[in-house]
Amino acid sequence: QVQLVESGGELVQPGGSLRLSCVASGVIFSRYAMSWYRQAPGKQRELVATITSGSSTSYADSVKGRFTISRDNAKNTVYLQMNRLKPEDTAVYYCNARYGHYEGWGQGTQVTVSS
């Protein structure tokens, strides 16, 4: 069973940057497609970015050009570099791991963009 632990969320001013990390355990990490989702208050959870086992990436239109997803298989870690943050990026960010019918979620980390 995959276990995921996110970190890196905090309060940041508009225009600032943050890097989120998600460490996986209990699985062969390199086999998993890893994604970041986010959920703002009163809204549905939405897909932010995905990186496949082959390191292909995809992004939501709202974050293209500002966010970068990457992975380090040696450290069982996936990252989300977030630049030029906007107030509308405020949400709880969740890490997701998927391989076939196996799937796991982290507990989430809060990102707040506010002056």
Side-chain angles (χ1 to χ4, degrees), residues 3-16:
Q3 295 180 323
L4 303 170
V5 179
E6 303 101 332
S7 62
E10 63 181 65
L11 172 64
V12 63
Q13 291 189 343

Side-chain angles (χ1 to χ4, degrees), residues 61 101 110:
D61 287 343
H101 62 275
Q110 176 70 48

Side-chain angles (χ1 to χ4, degrees), residues 48-105:
V48 175
T50 296
I51 185 165
T52 67
S53 57
S55 293
S56 296
T57 59
S58 59
Y59 299 91
D61 287 343
S62 58
V63 306
K64 278 182 183 176
R66 300 190 297 122
F67 290 11
T68 302
I69 189 170
S70 61
R71 65 190 299 158
D72 185 338
N73 289 339
K75 295 182 178 179
N76 284 10
T77 301
V78 61
Y79 304 98
L80 186 68
Q81 178 67 43
M82 305 186 294
N83 299 327
R84 305 200 311 272
L85 282 160
K86 304 175 182 180
E88 51 263 44
D89 295 318
T90 296
V92 178
Y93 283 71
Y94 297 91
C95 180
N96 171 273
R98 181 168 39 85
Y99 173 60
H101 62 275
Y102 298 102
E103 186 174 30
W105 291 89

Side-chain angles (χ1 to χ4, degrees), residues 8-13 17-18 90 110-115:
E10 63 181 65
L11 172 64
V12 63
Q13 291 189 343
S17 296
L18 280 178
T90 296
Q110 176 70 48
V111 172
T112 302
V113 184
S114 175
S115 54

